Amino acid sequence: MSQPTIKDVAKLAGVSISTVSRVMNDSKPVSEDSRKKVEDAIKKLDFKRNELARSLVMKRSNIIGVIVKDIAIPYMAEIIRGLEEVGRQKKYDIFLSSSYGNTESELEIVDFMFRKQAEGIIIVGENISNDVIYKLKENTIPYIFIDKFYDGDFSSNLIDYEKSAYQMTIEIIKRGHKNILFVKDDKDYKIEKLKYEGYKSAIREYGLNIFHINADDVHIEDGYNLGPKLLKRVKEDKISCIFAAEDDLAFGIINYFYDQKIRVPDDISVAGFGGSKFAEIYKPTLATFQIYYYDIGAGAMSKLIKILKNKSLSKDTVTPHLVHCKMEESVGFLNK
Amino acid sequence: MSQPTIKDVAKLAGVSISTVSRVMNDSKPVSEDSRKKVEDAIKKLDFKRNELARSLVMKRSNIIGVIVKDIAIPYMAEIIRGLEEVGRQKKYDIFLSSSYGNTESELEIVDFMFRKQAEGIIIVGENISNDVIYKLKENTIPYIFIDKFYDGDFSSNLIDYEKSAYQMTIEIIKRGHKNILFVKDDKDYKIEKLKYEGYKSAIREYGLNIFHINADDVHIEDGYNLGPKLLKRVKEDKISCIFAAEDDLAFGIINYFYDQKIRVPDDISVAGFGGSKFAEIYKPTLATFQIYYYDIGAGAMSKLIKILKNKSLSKDTVTPHLVHCKMEESVGFLNK
DNA sequence: TTGAAAGCGCTAACAG
DNA sequence: CTGTTAGCGCTTTCAA
């Protein structure tokens, strides 16, 4: 026989299915006698209730749909951990799906989440397409975006990138560096611009000169490819420290230096941003700013659940673009 | 109003709900006229069918439960990608849950997967507890284990660790190394023992001496902590290359050397095993053997789905311990 | 305290 | 080709 149902339990216990349901959910008083009989029957049959049926009648799936770009991206995995842990705590289950950055499949997955009766949706992406945002807005279920690079009309950005970069720059200056070169992307991601602003404030505060160069994007290879151009600037401007807007960029730069026999941090210092896991084990150690991605995930899930519980909250009060982090002293070491 | 149902569509289209169902599923012939009316109604209402209800009546959830130790472990994320991609292709959805290595929660999650009507279960762990295995065996739904270290009574291990380690050792010998020190864990994980066998075969084949030392476990810190002892052996035995059974172990060793100003690979060569993503960007580059974790995931999912489709396959034919990989030339560089 | 019965949204005979 | 009807396994009135 396939899985036992509530009927089988009722029959074995000699009670009605309502009584079984009441025992399982503690929803109404049940006599000690019946309760015992039901519990025994459940144990004997190894009965497990069908959550699908339950969700159907209760109109509550307890499911949160989570759409990520790619779980193999370490910081996203970190976010998911936060989402999951809080979800579990609050009895919400996560339905996870990866889009691999493809808008087409993002739209499909959103639809899919609706069909699976997800009660809310969280999207963890990098530059989420407006089509997806529009689709979410159209619908009735609450949603939250966690997006590093999206530069839309959402403003509640809880990571103070500007201040963090400012602090990092101060840290660098305090270690005796005068000529600090800031490296960011060419795509003008909003968060990189903010970091640049932070860098500039610190530089101005100490009456130093601003040095800046753009890479094509923020990945390791972009850092590496920037190498020759970067090296030229380093020599021209007597740069003693490079501050890359993203850890990956910094890794690329360090790798280029390594291949050119330029020692970090003996010949030149390099700082990154993001608190990449790699930074800890990478040699030479990378100075970086920790972003607490776990907390970003946990915070997002908490918020979504709060919205779910408090249905009086209209959709307008949902802050779609949520990013959050704490800051910590920069780690790693910078020479000089 | 909340989500429209099939009834709303039927009413708007002026047909019965069965017709709507038929249009949606292409399950029976429907007149062009009705079809058009239904499709229009669906579009107008933005109707999305309730998969929960559908699964209930069809007794098919299309859900595969996936239990992982931790998605933040890079190789596990890689496996999940494989699982997911094949799942999506074959129209199976994944319900993902992390156990963080806790047997208690693993057991709970298994129960949970049953209640959610998962059709099959895949567990991606490291040393899966026998309690969990027992629980799975007790039940009716098919399951697959993907476990790196589990040393149980399952035998169909599709990665030939022994041969891979043999090949790696040959590779090292061909580059002129005579005294090669093999480093593995102290826990005697089965796969590490296999690698050791491979190493020994190659060494014997070339009439060289076997050198071997144990770390406490296979993580970065274990490699680092082994440092002093390792260095002593290196000097005593005139070791020119270290072959670590796991990439992480190798990273720890290289880091220790770095801190001791010992240059890799100029002063000594280091090889790892696993094909860690990190190996690619790490400087000095680590020689390593690629394990195709994506393929392991994809293969496991294919296998599970095959079992699902072919219900005649009894549970006995399930190979619970599935591991699979292709091999590739060792990458990275080894001096001398 | 308990059971009978209705119904969640859907599919699948069955009869027309 | 189409509509009516009987459930899937569960929760929840409503009476008893």
Side-chain angles (χ1 to χ4, degrees):
Chain A
M1 194 182 80
S2 65
Q3 299 288 7
T5 74
I6 194 172
K7 267 189 195 162
D8 302 311
V9 176
K11 194 177 290 171
L12 184 61
V15 298
S16 75
I17 57 166
S18 338
T19 302
V20 177
S21 170
R22 281 166 196 142
V23 169
M24 279 170 21
N25 301 306
D26 251 339
S27 48
K28 289 238 171 162
V30 171
S31 72
E32 260 321 302
D33 186 46
S34 307
R35 159 161 277 120
K36 176 125 191 37
K37 284 192 291 186
V38 170
E39 280 167 353
D40 287 350
I42 288 179
K43 207 158 287 171
K44 188 169 285 169
L45 294 172
D46 191 27
F47 166 74
K48 300 189 187 77
R49 75 167 157 220
N50 184 328
E51 293 287 347
L52 259 39
R54 184 162 204 258
S55 295
L56 182 60
V57 55
M58 298 193 72
K59 291 171 170 301
R60 294 221 34 218
S61 67
N62 266 71
I63 288 174
I64 306 273
V66 175
I67 306 172
V68 301
K69 184 182 176 190
D70 189 346
I71 50 164
I73 299 173
Y75 84 86
M76 294 214 173
E78 215 45 51
I79 291 175
I80 296 169
R81 283 171 74 159
L83 293 171
E84 192 180 35
E85 198 131 323
V86 173
R88 184 171 308 177
Q89 221 169 279
K90 304 277 175 71
K91 305 285 174 210
Y92 278 90
D93 310 312
I94 283 177
F95 218 107
L96 188 75
S97 207
S98 310
S99 69
Y100 303 113
N102 181 331
T103 299
E104 206 57 33
S105 44
E106 256 160 25
L107 290 170
E108 244 167 56
I109 294 169
V110 170
D111 254 348
F112 168 75
M113 295 297 183
F114 283 132
R115 282 186 276 120
K116 285 284 183 183
Q117 307 308 109
E119 296 182 31
I121 290 185
I122 293 178
I123 301 193
V124 187
E126 285 176 349
N127 279 302
I128 297 164
S129 135
N130 282 310
D131 291 352
V132 176
I133 293 167
Y134 182 71
K135 183 166 202 115
L136 250 8
K137 276 187 172 166
E138 253 190 326
N139 275 280
T140 46
I141 72 175
Y143 53 87
I144 286 185
F145 297 145
I146 302 177
D147 191 308
K148 207 168 166 181
F149 298 125
Y150 182 76
D151 185 13
D153 52 350
F154 306 120
S155 49
S156 72
N157 190 326
L158 300 187
I159 293 188
D160 195 337
Y161 289 106
E162 189 169 342
K163 192 174 164 199
S164 307
Y166 167 85
Q167 286 178 8
M168 177 61 116
T169 310
I170 296 289
E171 202 71 30
I172 294 169
I173 294 171
K174 277 186 183 160
R175 284 162 202 245
H177 294 279
K178 300 273 183 246
N179 291 357
I180 304 159
L181 176 60
F182 186 81
V183 184
K184 65 173 180 60
D185 65 291
D186 198 18
K187 299 243 190 307
D188 271 341
Y189 294 128
K190 189 180 180 182
I191 69 165
E192 312 305 9
K193 281 197 259 182
L194 288 171
K195 291 175 197 164
Y196 187 36
E197 290 307 318
Y199 156 82
K200 285 194 288 189
S201 306
I203 292 292
R204 280 196 209 100
E205 198 176 309
Y206 281 77
L208 302 173
N209 290 319
I210 289 165
F211 297 101
H212 163 235
I213 190 170
N214 273 346
D216 288 341
D217 208 327
V218 293
H219 311 296
I220 295 176
E221 59 270 27
D222 302 310
Y224 193 94
N225 293 338
L226 187 66
K229 225 169 122 189
L230 187 72
L231 209 49
K232 197 158 158 270
R233 284 295 300 276
V234 165
K235 281 173 187 156
E236 281 172 15
D237 298 329
K238 299 194 167 52
I239 301 297
S240 69
C241 180
I242 292 165
F243 179 9
E246 297 281 334
D247 280 348
D248 277 358
L249 221 37
F251 288 134
I253 291 168
I254 294 177
N255 278 355
Y256 178 79
F257 285 164
Y258 184 94
D259 289 346
Q260 301 299 314
K261 310 276 183 219
I262 295 166
R263 292 164 306 157
V264 175
D266 307 86
D267 299 331
I268 188 163
S269 291
V270 179
F273 198 103
S276 158
K277 291 249 153 192
F278 287 170
E280 291 167 32
I281 71 163
Y282 201 80
K283 296 284 175 153
T285 314
L286 177 68
T288 184
F289 235 80
Q290 192 71 34
I291 299 180
Y292 287 81
Y293 289 108
Y294 176 94
D295 291 347
I296 293 177
M301 184 57 90
S302 290
K303 181 157 190 170
L304 185 60
I305 291 174
K306 220 164 278 168
I307 292 163
L308 249 28
K309 295 249 145 112
N310 187 348
K311 279 174 195 161
S312 66
L313 265 173
S314 85
K315 227 176 68 182
D316 298 334
T317 59
V318 180
T319 306
H321 188 171
L322 179 143
V323 188
H324 165 261
C325 98
K326 292 183 214 153
M327 284 174 304
E328 197 182 54
E329 249 191 294
S330 68
V331 298
F333 68 115
L334 299 159
N335 203 40
K336 259 276 164 96
Chain B
M1 195 181 82
S2 64
Q3 299 287 10
T5 74
I6 195 172
K7 267 188 194 164
D8 301 313
V9 176
K11 194 177 292 170
L12 183 62
V15 297
S16 76
I17 57 166
S18 344
T19 303
V20 177
S21 172
R22 282 166 195 141
V23 170
M24 278 170 21
N25 301 308
D26 252 338
S27 47
K28 290 239 170 161
V30 171
S31 72
E32 258 322 302
D33 187 44
S34 308
R35 159 162 277 120
K36 175 125 187 41
K37 283 192 291 186
V38 169
E39 280 168 353
D40 287 351
I42 288 178
K43 207 159 285 171
K44 188 168 285 170
L45 294 172
D46 191 26
F47 167 74
K48 299 186 187 79
R49 75 165 157 222
N50 184 329
E51 293 287 347
L52 259 39
R54 184 163 203 258
S55 295
L56 182 60
V57 55
M58 298 192 71
K59 290 169 171 304
R60 292 220 36 215
S61 68
N62 267 73
I63 287 174
I64 307 272
V66 175
I67 306 174
V68 301
K69 183 182 177 190
D70 188 347
I71 49 164
I73 299 174
Y75 85 85
M76 294 216 172
E78 218 37 55
I79 291 176
I80 297 169
R81 284 171 73 159
L83 293 171
E84 192 182 34
E85 199 132 324
V86 173
R88 183 171 309 177
Q89 222 169 279
K90 304 277 176 69
K91 303 286 174 211
Y92 279 90
D93 310 312
I94 282 177
F95 218 107
L96 187 75
S97 208
S98 311
S99 69
Y100 302 112
N102 181 331
T103 299
E104 205 58 30
S105 44
E106 254 160 26
L107 290 169
E108 243 167 58
I109 295 169
V110 170
D111 253 347
F112 168 76
M113 295 297 184
F114 283 132
R115 283 186 276 122
K116 285 283 183 185
Q117 308 307 111
E119 297 183 30
I121 289 185
I122 294 177
I123 301 193
V124 187
E126 285 176 349
N127 278 300
I128 296 165
S129 137
N130 282 312
D131 291 352
V132 175
I133 293 167
Y134 181 71
K135 183 167 201 112
L136 250 9
K137 274 187 173 165
E138 253 191 327
N139 277 279
T140 46
I141 70 175
Y143 53 87
I144 286 185
F145 296 145
I146 302 175
D147 191 307
K148 206 168 167 181
F149 298 124
Y150 183 76
D151 185 11
D153 53 348
F154 306 118
S155 49
S156 72
N157 190 328
L158 301 185
I159 293 188
D160 196 337
Y161 288 107
E162 189 169 341
K163 192 173 166 200
S164 306
Y166 167 84
Q167 286 180 10
M168 176 61 117
T169 310
I170 297 289
E171 201 72 28
I172 294 168
I173 294 170
K174 278 188 182 159
R175 286 163 201 244
H177 294 279
K178 299 271 183 246
N179 292 357
I180 302 159
L181 175 60
F182 187 80
V183 184
K184 66 172 179 58
D185 66 290
D186 197 18
K187 300 245 189 306
D188 271 341
Y189 294 127
K190 188 179 181 183
I191 68 167
E192 312 305 10
K193 282 196 260 182
L194 289 170
K195 291 174 197 164
Y196 187 36
E197 289 309 318
Y199 157 82
K200 285 193 288 190
S201 309
I203 291 292
R204 281 196 208 101
E205 197 176 311
Y206 280 80
L208 301 174
N209 291 317
I210 288 165
F211 298 102
H212 163 234
I213 189 168
N214 272 347
D216 289 339
D217 208 327
V218 294
H219 311 296
I220 294 175
E221 58 271 25
D222 302 310
Y224 194 94
N225 294 337
L226 187 66
K229 226 168 121 187
L230 187 73
L231 210 49
K232 197 160 157 268
R233 286 293 301 275
V234 165
K235 281 175 186 155
E236 281 172 15
D237 298 330
K238 297 196 168 53
I239 301 297
S240 70
C241 180
I242 292 166
F243 179 9
E246 295 282 332
D247 281 347
D248 277 358
L249 221 38
F251 289 134
I253 291 168
I254 294 177
N255 278 355
Y256 179 80
F257 284 164
Y258 183 93
D259 290 345
Q260 301 298 316
K261 311 275 183 220
I262 295 166
R263 290 164 309 158
V264 176
D266 306 85
D267 299 331
I268 188 163
S269 290
V270 178
F273 199 102
S276 156
K277 289 250 150 188
F278 202 17
E280 291 168 31
I281 70 161
Y282 202 81
K283 295 284 175 154
T285 313
L286 177 70
T288 184
F289 234 81
Q290 193 72 32
I291 299 180
Y292 287 81
Y293 289 108
Y294 177 94
D295 290 347
I296 292 177
M301 184 57 90
S302 291
K303 179 155 192 173
L304 185 60
I305 291 173
K306 220 164 277 166
I307 292 163
L308 251 27
K309 295 247 145 110
N310 187 348
K311 280 174 196 161
S312 67
L313 266 173
S314 84
K315 228 176 67 181
D316 298 333
T317 59
V318 179
T319 307
H321 189 170
L322 179 145
V323 187
H324 166 263
C325 99
K326 291 183 215 154
M327 283 174 304
E328 197 182 55
E329 249 191 294
S330 68
V331 299
F333 68 115
L334 299 160
N335 204 39
K336 263 271 161 100

